[in-house]
Amino acid sequence: MGSKSDNKGKGTFQPDSDVHITIDDQMKINKFANYNAKVEDLKEDLKLRQNELKNLEEAGDEIELLDEDTPIPFLIGEVFISHDQPKTQELLAEAKEKKKREIESIQKLTKDIQDKMGDLKAHLYGRFGSNIYLENDE
């Protein structure tokens, strides 16, 4: 299976003559590793969405400085459509709310997976003690 250093983010088992790994145990170790990889992907996605939200907020701040009748291009799909300041602010508010919901959804999913990882971790450490090493930055 390898050493701790070459399996970053994965559960690894350190063989010992007194410990027997069942297929169920190996499946739980693999599930933990898969959950850990999913959490890392979600963290990257969360950073991306938080940055997008920040950009929307900064755009809103900049738009407030413009005259109400100034046409402001707003990206809808793949096309920019110009609107006045009030309509653009409304569209930005909707986009920010959508982004906040996406962020909350990612955070909830991450927490749910981390809870499952905690259960698996407790079971596996209970079964194997110091013979197993489960990396998790929690």
Side-chain angles (χ1 to χ4, degrees), residues 27-136:
M27 288 175 64
K28 287 179 179 176
I29 292 168
N30 293 346
K31 186 178 280 191
F32 181 89
N34 289 337
Y35 282 158
N36 200 43
K38 179 68 175 172
V39 166
E40 291 305 313
D41 289 344
L42 288 169
K43 286 179 181 178
E44 289 299 315
D45 194 22
L46 181 62
K47 285 180 193 175
L48 177 68
R49 306 289 171 134
Q50 288 170 330
N51 191 48
E52 291 170 348
L53 178 61
K54 181 181 175 189
N55 289 342
L56 288 169
E57 290 168 345
E58 289 174 358
D61 293 343
E62 291 296 319
I63 287 172
E64 286 180 11
L65 303 174
L66 300 175
D67 292 331
E68 281 195 21
D69 59 348
T70 302
I72 303 166
F74 191 86
L75 184 64
I76 299 177
E78 296 181 8
V79 178
F80 281 97
I81 299 176
S82 293
H83 298 284
D84 61 14
Q85 184 203 43
K87 179 64 176 175
T88 303
Q89 286 175 319
E90 178 185 322
L91 292 170
L92 274 174
E94 291 171 7
K96 287 192 295 189
E97 284 307 310
K98 180 181 178 194
K99 199 62 62 183
K100 286 176 184 176
R101 287 191 303 271
E102 291 171 0
I103 288 169
E104 288 170 2
S105 176
I106 292 169
Q107 289 171 329
K108 183 183 181 318
L109 181 56
T110 300
K111 184 184 179 324
D112 291 346
I113 292 172
Q114 287 172 330
D115 290 345
K116 291 176 185 176
M117 288 173 67
D119 293 344
L120 282 171
K121 193 174 187 178
H123 171 79
L124 291 168
Y125 274 125
R127 173 103 167 83
F128 298 109
S130 64
N131 291 313
I132 194 166
Y133 178 74
L134 302 170
E135 282 194 28
N136 186 357

